[in-house]
Amino acid sequence: MLFSAVRRWRGWRCGVGRYVRFQGTSKAAGRRSFPGVFALVNTLAREGRLTPEQERFRRVNNDWYDASFTNPAHVDPTVYDPDVNPGATAWFKVTSTELIARVDGYLEILAAHGVECVRVDSSSPGRIVYEDADQVVVVPEAALPQGEGTRTGAP
């Protein structure tokens, strides 16, 4: 059942690694990395596939994230530049529990739309090109995902 897979994340404690990422299981066309949970939900919104309630959740929570933590691209505009940092991806630090806790609602939206997502834990997700108190942006040493992944969405 999709919802029960998502519910397991409520109050979760990371068992492996210092970093965690929630990402899709298929790479976007022309991309070196798997899209993250926020990109996946934002894509559903751009396609007009969210219910009014889901869109309200997305907007309120996207605004909260924008106000609550630093956007790495605002600090370093080249951090996600594919020529400078190919395949760069953001990972939460496991100590950023308040930021991670809000991911549940995004996972519920993805599950409702049959979008498969995995949680990946890693102690060393790649070469760190940006770091702050809550997150790192890394260029993976090898193809993602690294670490141990757990499925959270539809098969």
Side-chain angles (χ1 to χ4, degrees):
M1 175 180 236
L2 295 178
F3 184 69
S4 65
V6 173
R7 286 186 52 188
R8 283 184 286 164
W9 297 114
R10 295 193 196 289
W12 68 277
R13 295 182 72 148
C14 183
V16 177
R18 296 182 354 217
Y19 308 104
V20 63
R21 177 172 167 78
F22 297 87
Q23 65 185 28
T25 59
S26 300
K27 290 183 182 177
R31 301 291 306 237
R32 293 180 182 215
S33 60
F34 295 86
V37 65
F38 304 117
L40 291 168
V41 172
N42 288 339
T43 296
L44 291 173
R46 275 192 307 278
E47 294 172 349
R49 296 174 54 195
L50 299 182
T51 67
E53 179 182 328
Q54 291 169 337
E55 178 57 25
R56 272 190 303 278
F57 171 88
R58 183 190 76 87
R59 190 66 267 145
V60 165
N61 284 279
N62 282 5
D63 289 347
W64 181 87
Y65 276 105
D66 289 344
S68 299
F69 81 109
T70 304
N71 181 332
H74 293 167
V75 175
D76 177 1
T78 67
V79 74
Y80 294 113
D81 183 322
D83 295 324
V84 177
N85 296 310
T89 55
W91 293 65
F92 287 114
K93 291 182 176 179
V94 296
T95 54
S96 298
T97 55
E98 184 179 12
L99 299 176
I100 295 168
R102 287 188 177 237
V103 170
D104 283 349
Y106 291 86
L107 296 176
E108 290 174 7
I109 291 170
L110 294 174
H113 290 273
V115 177
E116 191 171 20
C117 189
V118 294
R119 183 183 109 184
V120 182
D121 296 289
S122 180
S123 292
S124 182
R127 179 175 51 86
I128 295 174
V129 296
Y130 171 85
E131 182 170 14
D132 64 34
D134 299 305
Q135 65 188 322
V136 294
V137 176
V138 304
V139 174
E141 302 294 339
L144 288 175
Q146 296 179 359
E148 295 186 17
T150 306
R151 296 191 184 287
T152 64

